[in-house]
Amino acid sequence: ATRSRSHDDTRVVTYLSHGGAFRRALPGLYERCRAVARDKYVAEGGELSDVFELRVAEYHIVRPGGGLFDPQHVDAGSLVTVDVLLEDAFEGGAFRTPEANGRVASHDRVFKNKGDLVCFLSLKRHHVDRVVAGERRVLVLEFWAGVERTCPHRCERFHGNCDALVLEALAADAGSFDETFFGALDLDSVKDAVAALAAEDSDAASDAAPPPGPLDRRRGVAAS
């Protein structure tokens, strides 16, 4: 089942990528949107060989009084965002972007009919005017340089299982604690940290003035 989050009574976000539901149910739409996003990424200087996977698929419902009002808002951590308009029987709710010339562009001429799509770099600032009447329904897909995510939220972890999936697996008794806990670790990062600690320990030992006493390996302390 997908998860939803209500920001208030004017805006609800449902995470369609939870459990891979969106890609499984609508593989054709997923592939078309990913191709559009990929083309945009390459056109803006990205490499085809770069990791480029779905971070999150969200279904936004915005009711009268709601919107996205922060003019500095960006989809931080993602590479490219694709918005698809799923409902056009609403008033207000124009999609706007601040531009380099100081103007704030409105895209309501190209993003106003059901099925219209906008694609932009995720770090481009954007906001949405207040909805006056009806419901503004939009599919939002974010692609990033991490692994494809199936979390019940907008995940922040590029690799490994996120905390939400670990807790979900444990609650469902889907595996042992060891399996879910260690599955959440980035083992390369752990190895790097261990190596760094070993190097620091070695440096500290070489700087010490008196030589260490014989080690009691059973207790792990220096023998007297």
Side-chain angles (χ1 to χ4, degrees), residues 12-210:
V12 176
V13 176
T14 300
Y15 298 98
L16 302 180
S17 45
H18 182 206
F22 172 73
R23 185 173 183 178
R24 186 170 58 250
L26 298 168
L29 179 59
Y30 165 81
E31 292 296 344
R32 288 198 296 274
C33 289
R34 185 175 186 273
V36 169
R38 187 76 159 170
D39 288 346
K40 176 65 174 177
Y41 178 66
V42 172
E44 295 289 346
E47 298 290 338
L48 279 173
S49 59
D50 291 345
V51 176
F52 193 84
E53 299 295 345
L54 181 66
R55 178 186 192 178
V56 68
E58 301 174 347
Y59 175 39
H60 291 210
I61 300 176
V62 183
R63 302 185 176 101
L68 179 60
F69 305 126
D70 180 5
Q72 303 302 315
H73 175 79
V74 298
D75 297 330
S78 295
L79 298 173
V80 178
T81 301
V82 176
D83 289 358
V84 182
L85 194 61
L86 303 178
E87 176 60 66
D88 52 21
F90 66 91
E91 298 177 15
F95 180 78
R96 298 183 182 273
T97 56
E99 301 300 329
N101 59 9
R103 295 178 56 253
V104 176
S106 173
H107 303 280
D108 55 353
R109 290 189 177 183
V110 296
F111 195 60
K112 67 175 183 177
N113 297 317
K114 187 184 301 185
D116 285 348
L117 177 152
V118 290
C119 179
F120 53 95
L121 294 182
S122 299
L123 290 182
K124 183 176 180 65
R125 291 177 295 159
H126 57 282
H127 60 278
V128 176
D129 286 350
R130 190 181 307 276
V131 173
V132 177
E135 291 186 340
R136 185 183 190 271
R137 298 172 178 255
V138 176
L139 171 67
V140 178
L141 306 179
E142 292 183 31
F143 295 89
W144 70 343
V147 298
E148 182 175 348
R149 280 303 182 194
T150 59
C151 314
H153 61 174
R154 185 176 180 271
C155 196
E156 299 292 338
R157 293 192 57 158
F158 284 84
H159 304 285
N161 290 333
C162 73
D163 295 339
L165 289 183
V166 171
L167 294 174
E168 193 173 70
L170 290 173
D173 197 25
S176 69
F177 176 80
D178 286 351
E179 290 173 343
T180 51
F181 177 77
F182 286 107
L185 293 178
D186 183 338
L187 294 182
D188 288 337
S189 295
V190 172
K191 291 176 183 176
D192 290 344
V194 170
L197 287 172
E200 289 179 8
D201 190 49
S202 176
D203 291 342
S206 62
D207 291 341

